[in-house]
Amino acid sequence: MTLIELDRDTPLDPGAGTAPPPHRYRVLGLLLGTVLTVLLGGAAPHTGTVWEYLGLVPSSAGVDAPIQLAGGRLFTIAPAGDRRVLTAWEPRPEPARVWSTDLPPDGTTSPGGVFSPLRVRQHGDVVLVTTGPATTALDSRTGRIRWTTPSRVTVGEGGIVGDGGTGLVTERIFRDGTLYDQDSGDPGMLYFSADGQPHTEPPIRTEVRGIDLDTGRVRWTAAPSGSVTVDLVPGEQPAVLITASDRLTLHDARTGGLLRETALPRHGGAGPSTSDVIGDVALVGYDEAELRAGYDTRTLEPLWTRPARAEMDPPSCTGLLCAGSRDATAVLDSRTGRTAWALTSAADLDLAGGRVLRTDPATGGPVGLLDPATGESLADLSGWADTVESFADRTLLLRRDNEGGGQAFGVIRPGRPEVRILGVADLDGEECGGDDRYLVCRDLRGLRIWAYRV
């Protein structure tokens, strides 16, 4: 076992001066290794790990909003009257302001000055900022506003749908005169538009638009009747899958051209009520008939149909196809609909970076990493308190209270199921976020930033 020093805030020091003879520290090293193995859930530190404290973004910069990392930068938001100011920070070599931009109002600010949640994503040289139902696109170099839309923009795997960067906007169109009078309190079914407005009738059509991420220009529009769901199908030929009450249609993400379509059968006298995509399988649910069907997302060929009985406590699965209950979860093969593996104790499952993260529903703490095909254990995470909010697709960051004070952090890299110890930070709070290069944690003074590499 190779040992490294876990400094609190400074870089890991390779050591200076003359080292004592090996026999002086061999026993102490073995004892320390045993303690680390027990305290850190079986994880052992590895050589080559860099853990470097970069500095602080002060609270005066507006750091009360949730932590936002995108494109290797930290973003903060500060209120300025009825506006909000977005600031981009470059973490290295120390936190430095890159630019600040006034965001346009999104129309959702309450009279008490409470703003809607904000999300920042970067795709190429465009920063997308979603506030409430609206999206603003900024130039990543200057912060200049390129375009805005009153709708949310969806992007695909890696941030792009199709060549050149195409996002998707979905808007339900309702018949005039169907807006619900919220003061009336009248009973009945309600149908909601993208901006949250209730209507008394379902939409007459849904407009799906492909948006050029650089300019905001509409590249193409599809307008199926009624209410539909829209999913992205990544690959060499990115596509858009639209599920309506009577059919599946597949469109080219770059042009909107129709690639293929297939009719959906009715079960129990009713059409489908839910839809989702897991990997390369489209899932279509029939709630009234308690059935679920799988279709190939490329060919639209039917793959299987199986019962889907409603459970009082359904399994909690993200990115996986599951059946059973939360206390006895069966993970299904999405191509066949048959059980691949099962758990006999309560668990929440989340597919992350090609591995299944199992957490304890009672505590929310991580339990272990599982193989998605077999359910076999890849890593024991029971020594860790929780996961850190991740802004990276395949990196998993972990946190626990350090016995000597502060917080200890570890990372699991893609293709490497073992936990690598990063270091210890002198923190009292537990709100942190990270990507594959940086860890950011909230402190009484502001946001503190560490760089890491393994």
Side-chain angles (χ1 to χ4, degrees), residues 350-419:
D350 186 1
L351 185 65
R355 300 153 300 195
V356 177
L357 173 65
R358 178 177 179 175
T359 58
D360 185 340
T363 66
V367 175
L369 281 183
L370 309 178
D371 185 295
T374 65
E376 293 182 4
S377 176
L378 299 177
D380 179 13
L381 305 181
S382 56
W384 295 91
D386 53 43
T387 57
V388 174
E389 181 181 6
S390 178
F391 295 89
D393 292 333
R394 300 178 62 81
T395 301
L396 181 65
L397 288 164
L398 302 162
R399 184 205 65 81
R400 62 174 294 277
D401 292 336
N402 188 54
E403 191 171 280
Q407 310 285 320
F409 292 92
V411 64
I412 299 178
R413 285 290 199 172
R416 306 172 186 172
E418 75 276 6
V419 182

Side-chain angles (χ1 to χ4, degrees), residues 68-71 75 86 118-132 134-138 140 147 149 151-156 159 167-168 213 232 391:
Q68 296 283 328
L69 285 163
F75 292 86
L86 181 74
L118 176 144
R119 182 187 178 195
V120 180
R121 297 164 290 170
Q122 182 163 335
H123 309 294
D125 60 354
V126 175
V127 175
L128 293 180
V129 182
T130 301
T131 55
T135 301
T136 300
L138 311 175
S140 65
W147 52 269
T149 175
S151 305
R152 289 186 178 91
V153 175
T154 303
V155 293
L168 295 179
L213 292 180
L232 306 174
F391 295 89

Side-chain angles (χ1 to χ4, degrees), residues 16-103:
T18 303
H23 69 272
R24 297 278 185 88
Y25 55 74
R26 181 176 299 142
V27 174
L28 177 60
L30 291 173
L31 290 174
L32 179 58
T34 301
V35 172
L36 283 171
T37 300
V38 173
L39 291 180
L40 297 175
H46 292 247
T47 57
T49 299
V50 173
W51 174 249
E52 178 185 4
Y53 178 60
L54 300 180
L56 174 78
V57 174
S59 56
S60 58
V63 297
D64 292 335
I67 294 170
Q68 296 283 328
L69 285 163
R73 287 177 175 171
L74 171 68
F75 292 86
T76 60
I77 189 78
D82 61 350
R83 300 175 294 106
R84 288 193 284 183
V85 178
L86 181 74
T87 299
W89 300 84
E90 190 69 48
R92 278 189 179 277
E94 61 183 23
R97 175 186 169 277
V98 181
W99 47 256
S100 295
T101 296
D102 285 7
L103 296 177

Side-chain angles (χ1 to χ4, degrees), residues 6 39 46 107 109 116 121 128 241 305 319-320 323 382:
L6 296 184
L39 291 180
H46 292 247
T109 306
S116 58
R121 297 164 290 170
L128 293 180
L241 180 67
T305 300
L320 298 166
S382 56

Side-chain angles (χ1 to χ4, degrees), residues 16 35 52 95 98 103 110 116 119 163 179 182 194 211-212 221-222 236 266 292 311 316 329 331 347 355 366 429 434:
V35 172
E52 178 185 4
V98 181
L103 296 177
S110 72
S116 58
R119 182 187 178 195
D163 295 335
L179 189 64
Q182 299 188 51
I211 304 292
D212 186 302
T221 301
E236 292 184 4
R266 299 174 68 84
R292 186 186 296 176
E311 296 283 349
S316 176
T329 299
V331 178
R355 300 153 300 195

Side-chain angles (χ1 to χ4, degrees), residues 10 39 43 71 85 143 217 252 277 310 336 351-352 355 369 376 387 403 406 421 435-436 446 450:
T10 56
L39 291 180
V85 178
R217 178 179 61 86
D252 188 302
V277 169
T336 65
L351 185 65
R355 300 153 300 195
L369 281 183
E376 293 182 4
T387 57
E403 191 171 280
I421 308 305
D435 58 14
D436 56 5
W450 288 262

